[in-house]
Amino acid sequence: DAMVIQNPRYQVTQFGKPVTLSCSQTLNHNVMYWYQQKSSQAPKLLFHYYDKDFNNEADTPDNFQSRRPNTSFCFLDIRSPGLGDAAMYLCATSRGWGGSSSFIYEQYFGPGTRLTVT
Amino acid sequence: EDKVVQSPLSLVVHEGDTVTLNCSYEVTNFRSLLWYKQEKKAPTFLFMLTSSGIEKKSGRLSSILDKKELFSILNITATQTGDSAVYLCAVEADMDSNYQLIWGAGTKLIIKP
């Protein structure tokens, strides 16, 4: 089945030690998103790629970076994790959106990676 | 199996109409229900609902949760063409010491002038 896969499901890292979370998709979708979700809060969009075009949300800290080497894979790099970065990280994909078309596509989400910072 | 079902899958109405979007769920250890709007860009957060029967409002949009009947509705009054979007519903659930976010397929809303 086509799907969105996130690895690992659980990640423990030390304060300040770089960590990379990965997301892959078999849906061949144009857009890939990364969300951060902390306890009792709604998911917060960090950034998204439309094909190779990177779009950063204005309030995403510089500590968070992303790479999309090809259509199928997208990575979230946290350069120096702090205790405040402990959260669930969700990856999502969609077919994106086109010029004047009013046809908008829904998102498909992976199961998430729970990050613990010690 | 946990699931979130949105209906209708798509809806076309005329400007000025009122619409009601539905989200029903079967989730173990429910925590909250979220509504998002996705236009021709990344989705934006609308509401988070945790308590039954308390309506949340933002302008022409409002939402309410019924935890007994396991559903939520999103109402949009006096619709405008700018309301055209996909509306996503998601439910947070506790799974032992972890939780999941389970997403519905979305309702595609098109507002005609």
Side-chain angles (χ1 to χ4, degrees):
Chain A
D1 288 341
M3 54 198 301
V4 181
I5 302 163
Q6 288 188 246
N7 285 304
R9 293 292 307 277
Y10 307 95
Q11 175 76 57
V12 180
T13 191
Q14 291 177 331
F15 184 93
K17 185 175 181 182
V19 66
T20 295
L21 311 183
S22 75
C23 177
S24 64
Q25 53 136 338
T26 60
L27 297 155
N28 204 33
H29 282 173
N30 298 101
V31 189
M32 295 187 79
Y33 309 81
W34 278 105
Y35 290 82
Q36 178 194 64
Q37 185 178 26
K38 296 185 178 180
S39 181
S40 303
Q41 297 179 23
K44 177 182 175 302
L45 183 66
L46 296 173
F47 24 60
H48 72 275
Y49 273 94
Y50 194 124
D51 293 326
K52 291 183 183 243
D53 292 332
F54 178 71
N55 299 272
N56 201 32
E57 294 298 299
D59 56 354
T60 298
D62 292 340
N63 196 26
F64 292 87
Q65 304 285 317
S66 186
R67 296 170 284 135
R68 189 178 185 186
N70 54 53
T71 301
S72 301
F73 284 87
C74 194
F75 300 98
L76 170 62
D77 300 309
I78 308 176
R79 293 192 292 189
S80 182
L83 297 178
D85 296 327
M88 176 75 87
Y89 289 88
L90 296 162
C91 172
T93 74
S94 77
R95 289 166 67 185
W97 47 89
S100 60
S101 170
S102 62
F103 197 66
I104 308 140
Y105 297 97
E106 65 274 15
Q107 293 181 87
Y108 294 78
F109 281 77
T113 294
R114 177 169 291 285
L115 178 69
T116 301
V117 182
T118 60
Chain B
E1 181 187 341
D2 293 338
K3 60 181 179 181
V4 175
V5 178
Q6 290 187 246
S7 62
L9 289 182
S10 64
L11 184 59
V12 181
V13 300
H14 286 98
E15 209 167 15
D17 289 349
T18 292
V19 298
T20 298
L21 310 183
N22 302 291
C23 176
S24 64
Y25 61 92
E26 291 179 25
V27 169
T28 308
N29 298 322
F30 171 91
R31 281 178 55 150
S32 69
L33 185 144
L34 312 166
W35 283 99
Y36 281 78
K37 174 184 181 183
Q38 184 175 18
E39 301 171 86
K40 294 180 189 180
K41 55 184 179 181
T44 53
F45 171 72
L46 295 175
F47 300 112
M48 174 183 250
L49 302 157
T50 54
S51 300
S52 202
I54 298 175
E55 185 183 51
K56 294 218 171 175
K57 279 184 75 77
S58 177
R60 296 176 293 102
L61 275 66
S62 63
S63 185
I64 197 160
L65 174 67
D66 186 328
K67 289 169 78 172
K68 183 180 175 188
E69 300 297 330
L70 307 182
F71 76 92
S72 173
I73 59 172
L74 175 68
N75 271 326
I76 310 174
T77 59
T79 52
Q80 302 170 357
T81 55
D83 295 327
S84 294
V86 173
Y87 290 84
L88 296 161
C89 170
V91 173
E92 286 188 301
D94 270 324
M95 302 295 290
D96 296 325
S97 59
N98 307 299
Y99 65 83
Q100 290 184 334
L101 192 61
I102 304 154
W103 291 81
T107 292
K108 201 164 303 175
L109 177 64
I110 296 173
I111 312 295
K112 290 191 169 182

